[in-house]
């Protein structure tokens, strides 16, 4: 058990820093104009307000998912969530008018980062609570959180497993076809990793780095996880 817990810790460390971007850092985008700015009072139309708080495309693409979430909840026109009786209509309007939300829809880790942000909203933040209710209804984002499970066709409790005489036979029998692997959600990959029939092999290694290198070779779920931007977030969930 200690070995597996150690492996989990190493996985979290690896997935957090694997691309060197520091995506877990809590950074913040500052809108040049907000509702409290003197210039805001000069606006006479909604279109003027929207134009003044656009985020340039080159900045938007460089923002971390955390920055986008903060920018969404600090969006000067966030109060507009109260303007719609229908959440779907509100989501469509925010996708059209709010650059942070529009970009969030393209991020694979948006659901996990949003969920973490929702947990920080206090009971007296009524606007934040209302906004979180609206954004959490987005199927484009939260549809990816459906907890599904990949079933290995053969496991250590299968009758066929007893017939294997070599480690290579076991590895071959627990491979996941590339077409299935690429279509799996990150949640499915994490479950598949921790239900990997050869997970017990962790006890064979005294060095976690060696274990990680070995699992990258033999475990398809782990190898695919390394390519996913939201791996660290889903593992922490």
């Amino acid at each position: 058990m200690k070995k597996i817990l150690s492996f989990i810790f190493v996985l979290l460390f690896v997935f957090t820093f694997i691309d060197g971007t520091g995506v877990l850092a809590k950074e913040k985008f500052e809108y040049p104009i907000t509702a409290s700015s003197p210039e805001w009072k000069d606006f006479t139309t909604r279109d003027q307000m929207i134009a003044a708080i656009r985020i340039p495309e080159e900045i938007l693409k460089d923002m971390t998912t955390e920055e986008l979430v903060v920018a969404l909840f600090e969006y000067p026109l966030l109060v507009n969530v109260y303007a719609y009786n229908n959440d779907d209509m509100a989501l469509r309007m925010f996708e059209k008018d709010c650059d942070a939300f529009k970009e969030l829809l393209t991020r694979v880790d948006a659901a996990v980062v949003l969920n973490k942000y929702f947990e920080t909203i206090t009971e007296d933040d009524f606007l934040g609570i209302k906004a979180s209710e609206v954004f959490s209804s987005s199927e484009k984002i939260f549809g990816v959180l459906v907890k599904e499970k990949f079933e290995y066709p053969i496991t250590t409790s299968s009758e066929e497993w007893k017939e294997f005489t070599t480690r290579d036979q076991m590895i071959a029998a627990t491979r996941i076809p590339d077409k299935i692997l690429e279509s799996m959600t990150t949640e499915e990959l994490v479950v598949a990793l921790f239900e990997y029939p050869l997970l017990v092999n962790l006890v064979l290694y005294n060095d976690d780095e060696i274990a990680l290198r070995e699992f990258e070779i033999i475990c398809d779920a782990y190898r695919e996880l390394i390519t996913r931007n939201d791996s660290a977030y889903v593992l922490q969930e």
Side-chain angles (χ1 to χ4, degrees):
M1 178 59 74
K2 287 183 178 179
K3 190 65 181 178
I4 292 178
L5 289 175
S6 174
F7 184 62
I8 294 174
F9 176 81
V10 172
L11 282 178
L12 287 172
F13 182 85
V14 169
F15 288 125
T16 299
F17 298 102
I18 194 164
D19 63 356
T21 60
V23 295
L24 290 182
K26 299 299 180 184
E27 300 173 336
K28 183 178 177 180
F29 170 79
E30 298 283 352
Y31 285 97
I33 296 178
T34 68
S36 61
S37 302
E39 303 95 320
W40 192 265
K41 300 174 184 177
D42 296 330
F43 297 142
T44 57
T45 67
R46 179 172 171 275
D47 287 344
Q48 288 176 325
M49 297 175 185
I50 293 172
I53 53 180
R54 287 293 189 191
I55 303 175
E57 192 73 16
E58 61 273 17
I59 294 177
L60 200 65
K61 295 299 181 183
D62 285 339
M63 290 170 68
T64 65
T65 307
E66 287 79 10
E67 286 183 284
L68 290 171
V69 170
V70 173
L72 172 60
F73 278 84
E74 294 194 352
Y75 183 57
L77 290 176
L78 183 66
V79 69
N80 283 359
V81 293
Y82 286 112
Y84 306 97
N85 294 322
N86 184 296
D87 287 346
D88 286 339
M89 184 179 295
L91 291 171
R92 287 197 297 271
M93 290 307 296
F94 268 80
E95 184 175 353
K96 175 176 174 286
D97 298 335
C98 178
D99 298 317
F101 183 66
K102 183 178 64 180
E103 178 65 21
L104 265 179
L105 295 177
T106 71
R107 303 293 178 95
V108 293
D109 56 340
V112 181
V113 178
L114 272 168
N115 267 336
K116 288 187 178 297
Y117 188 89
F118 293 161
E119 294 172 2
T120 69
I121 297 173
T122 58
E123 293 181 358
D124 59 345
D125 182 2
F126 300 113
L127 177 56
I129 292 172
K130 174 61 177 178
S132 67
E133 291 173 352
V134 172
F135 298 134
S136 64
S137 69
S138 171
E139 292 184 2
K140 289 185 178 180
I141 293 178
F142 288 91
V144 301
L145 283 185
V146 176
K147 301 295 183 182
E148 299 176 337
K149 181 179 177 182
F150 170 78
E151 298 284 350
Y152 285 98
I154 296 178
T155 67
T156 54
S157 60
S158 304
E159 287 297 320
E160 301 95 323
W161 192 268
K162 300 173 184 177
E163 299 175 5
F164 296 145
T165 56
T166 67
R167 180 170 169 274
D168 287 345
Q169 289 175 319
M170 297 174 185
I171 294 172
T174 54
R175 287 294 189 192
I176 304 175
D178 285 342
K179 183 171 289 189
I180 294 177
L181 198 66
E182 293 169 3
S183 68
M184 290 170 68
T185 64
T186 307
E187 288 79 9
E188 285 183 283
L189 290 171
V190 170
V191 173
L193 170 61
F194 286 97
E195 292 193 355
Y196 183 54
L198 293 175
L199 186 66
V200 69
N201 281 9
L202 286 174
V203 299
L204 301 177
Y205 306 97
N206 293 321
D207 187 314
D208 289 333
E209 289 187 10
I210 294 176
L212 290 172
R213 287 198 297 271
E214 180 68 8
F215 265 73
E216 186 174 350
I217 295 172
I218 69 173
C219 179
D220 298 317
Y222 175 66
R223 189 179 73 249
E224 179 65 21
L225 266 177
I226 293 175
T227 71
R228 302 293 178 92
N229 293 332
D230 58 339
S231 296
Y233 301 100
V234 177
L235 276 165
Q236 289 181 87
E237 287 291 292

